[in-house]
Amino acid sequence: MPQDDKFQLTASSNATTLLRLNPGLTFSAADLQAIQAGTLLPVGPGTLVARGAGTLKGFGCIKYLRYQENDNDLVRVEFDSGDFLDQSNCANLGEFRQRLQEAANFGFGVTGCLDTKKKRLFMLNLYPCQCKCDRRD
C-alpha cells in the first residue's frame, strides 16, 4: 500500500474540537490545511473567525422574511441585529430558504459566512436563540 506523505494532520485541540463538533461533515484538503494552519477555527454564536473568502458572522435572530412571487422565492431576510441578506448582497439566498424559514419558525439564531465578492452565503449554522425575543417552542 503506497504511503501518501503530501499532507499530515496533527491532532491539535483545534482539530479535534472541529471534528467533534461537525460529525458527518466532509472536510476538503483545503479545509484540513486551514485547520492545520489555525485559520479554520471552532466558534460560538457571534464570534468572528477569518476563513477563506468570508467571515463567520453572527447575524442574530430573524426579524422577518420577505417572499416575492411564491413561498419558494425568498428575496430578503432581516435580522434583529440590523443585518440583512437580499439579492444585493447574497445571490444564493434561495438555496437556504428552508433552513432560514425553520430558524424563523422556531426562534433560532443564525451564523454564516458571506463571500462579499461572489455574493454567496456558505457555512450556515442555526443555534438556539439566546436573546429575549419571542421564542416559540
Side-chain angles (χ1 to χ4, degrees):
M1 184 172 186
Q3 286 188 327
D4 183 6
D5 293 336
K6 292 181 181 178
F7 182 76
Q8 294 179 348
L9 181 67
T10 302
S12 65
S13 62
N14 178 54
T16 56
T17 301
L18 269 168
L19 296 172
R20 181 179 52 79
L21 291 175
N22 295 286
L25 182 64
T26 301
F27 290 93
S28 69
D31 290 335
L32 293 174
Q33 288 173 340
I35 291 169
Q36 188 69 35
T39 58
L40 180 57
L41 304 170
V43 298
T47 304
L48 301 177
V49 175
R51 180 192 186 273
T55 299
L56 188 64
K57 178 176 183 171
F59 290 103
C61 294
I62 295 174
K63 188 174 176 181
Y64 75 84
L65 301 173
R66 181 182 299 153
Y67 294 88
Q68 193 71 28
E69 298 293 324
N70 56 52
D71 65 350
N72 290 323
D73 194 11
L74 179 63
V75 295
R76 184 175 174 93
V77 180
E78 188 167 322
F79 300 93
D80 62 358
S81 65
D83 287 321
F84 68 92
L85 296 171
D86 66 13
Q87 296 167 338
S88 72
N89 63 2
C90 185
N92 67 332
L93 186 59
E95 293 175 16
F96 296 100
R97 176 188 53 80
Q98 285 185 302
R99 294 299 149 252
L100 292 167
Q101 182 66 60
E102 288 174 359
N105 288 349
F106 299 106
F108 273 60
V110 177
T111 65
C113 291
L114 184 62
D115 183 333
T116 56
K117 290 182 182 176
K118 294 181 181 177
K119 296 183 179 181
R120 302 216 22 106
L121 182 66
F122 62 100
M123 276 188 70
L124 184 74
N125 304 288
L126 306 180
Y127 60 90
C129 182
Q130 297 173 357
C131 66
K132 296 188 181 347
C133 66
D134 180 23
R135 278 175 80 174
R136 292 169 283 287
D137 294 330

